[in-house]
Amino acid sequence: MCGIVGYIGKRDAYPVLIKGLHRLEYRGYDSAGVALISEDKELHVYKTKGKVANLEQMVSQHDVSGTVGIAHTRWATHGEPNDVNAHPHYSQSESLALIHNGIIENYMLLKQVLLDNGYTFRSCTDTEVLVQFIEYVKKTNKVDLRHAVQIALREVIGAYAIAVVERGNPDQIIAARKSSPLVVGIGKDEFFLASDATPIIEYTDQVVYIKDEEIAVIRRDEPLRIINLHDIEKTPEIHTLEMSLSQLEKGGYPHFMLKEINEQPQTIVDCIRGRINVEGTDVILSGVLDNRERFLNAQRIIIVACGTSWHAALIGEHLIEDLCRIPVEVEYASEFRYRNPVIRPDDIVIAISQSGETADTLAAVELAREHGAFIYGICNVIGSSIARATDTGSYIHVGPEIGVASTKAFTGQVTVLSMLALTIAKYRQTIAPEYYRELIGELSSVPEKMRRVLEQDAQIRDLSKIFTYAHNFIYLGRGYNYPAALEGALKLKEISYIHAEGYPAAEMKHGPIALIDTEMPVVAIATTDSIYEKTISNIQEIKARKGRVIAIVTEGDTIVRNLADYCIEVPRMVENFAPLVSAIPLQLLAYYIAVNKGANVDQPRNLAKSVTVE
Ligand code: F6R
């Protein structure tokens, strides 16, 4: 939530910062702003409500010169999204400008200290309190900016990634982080700063991930210095980025979401590459291999996640219990972290997160660590906070996911969970060798089967037109397809703003069936599996009450076809991996309904891609 960018070097800072903000806009788009220090060492701040494009329009008449600057795109926490609450924020004397991603929890306390000392405030934000507090510390302690930031942050409770610039000093940016991500890119005679590597990759692949309670002293023509809050100097650890620029472009698609849906056959290939052997007979997940004893002795697995990743976790529960016979509990990270859960040292905690930055999931990981559990991360963003906080794990390797609605990350997570379950099952000997090989064959067939589903794009687009103006939707599934139903409903509600609920099909008769009438579209996932007949009965119950059924069925199905109003066929797939193909038509249906409604598919209202606040 919130994206921050910074630049210092020989180029004009403004174009670098604006481009960076566009790349980070998925993190929030309530307002945008920039602070630049011009040739004459003046500090200029421009900011406005709305998207980065609004900022560009606004500054067109202003001086945007300068080779140092910081910029911000906001997802509002404290204070409504308006011009005043937009970042950067000035200090009282307007000699400092600061951008911030995170939440300062004790800002009321700090604000009172400042009010008592005659400070006044323009905005309702915790961020303005922080920049004023830094200036107050700087003046009262008579120290330079780096020391002021250091002293001030020792008093701060909460999460932050910040960058500060100072009038009269065009040669320096001071940045710091705790629990919110921050990356410094090292170019030739220039530095870049950002919430993630996407604004940096165009210029350099050499990056340093700033760690918690570290301050980056970024000075023109000097090496990068990292000093922690307690004044200990650290050697910057330089990493080489693996990402490519083309992964960050739309590649001819109208939206990132459609591009990412269509990428799935390839992202699954990337996800299983090097993990399933070329003969297609064995799975090797190194995180499990290296910790074989842990998995052999595990008494229980707890999976923590949020949103779409939580839906993937539910599928993981089915897979692990079914194939490995280890009890699994799936927890919303936000509940788990606050409810004093029983966590034992022989538990394995799996944390699933696309961004690797979700604040609640990170806190759940920290809690599990305090209780001595072994922690396995399933993340997409390489080097992200959760990936680094876990003992080991597996990246899903699906490439940057830019659309706010998660699509390819979901199928990547389910694929990693499938490989994880197969690997553990093999070690624990809870799976017959022939069945193990059969399942590996099925998993290897997923990309081709996804391709066949994607060929029905035009048909799904036509179908979407019938339902564009529906006010509610129900999604039904059973067994492995129940989490797929939850995920289908989430996709629809978040991008089209249509109310949608996912339900286990058999639960309908315990209440929700009262909602069914001719106005209620019901998406029923009824692929051929061990409870196919039961699902058919549930569809019959809906039809008897005149509900309109859109069914996802296995190719060649005739029974459901005779019952349902509309059918979308998916290739036959063993039930353990069914959501990997049944998810695709649901993603496309949600996408086209949102497009028909004219909604901003890639940046739905009120949402942000990386939820770094709790
Ligand atoms: C929905 C969506 C969110 C995320 C959730 C967790 O499409 O994207 O529900 O799944 O915010 O995010 P990560 O996986 O980054 O922890």
Side-chain angles (χ1 to χ4, degrees), residues 188-206:
K188 191 172 167 340
D189 304 324
E190 59 186 354
F191 292 102
F192 305 83
L193 179 76
S195 300
D196 68 34
T198 56
I200 297 175
I201 186 70
E202 188 167 345
Y203 310 100
T204 175
D205 62 358
Q206 300 294 290

Side-chain angles (χ1 to χ4, degrees), residues 160-237:
Y160 53 79
I162 58 164
V164 203
V165 287
E166 186 176 22
R167 168 178 299 130
N169 190 350
D171 297 327
Q172 172 180 273
I173 301 175
I174 300 291
R177 87 153 250 179
K178 184 176 177 204
S179 305
S180 293
L182 193 62
V183 190
V184 177
I186 303 177
K188 191 172 167 340
D189 304 324
E190 59 186 354
F191 292 102
F192 305 83
L193 179 76
S195 300
D196 68 34
T198 56
I200 297 175
I201 186 70
E202 188 167 345
Y203 310 100
T204 175
D205 62 358
Q206 300 294 290
V207 296
V208 173
Y209 295 99
I210 307 303
K211 301 198 182 97
D212 276 353
E213 303 204 333
E214 284 183 352
I215 295 175
V217 181
I218 308 167
R219 290 187 60 81
R220 196 185 295 279
D221 302 328
E222 287 181 22
L224 172 69
R225 289 181 70 198
I226 307 287
I227 304 164
N228 76 6
L229 289 194
H230 310 289
D231 219 23
I232 298 168
E233 181 123 18
K234 307 275 187 76
T235 310
E237 273 174 47

Side-chain angles (χ1 to χ4, degrees), residues 306-309 353-355 358 404-406 413 490-491 494 611:
C306 301
T308 288
S309 301
S353 174
Q354 184 286 129
S355 61
T358 300
V404 163
S406 189
Q413 290 163 344
L490 177 60
K491 286 293 85 84
E494 68 182 325
V611 187

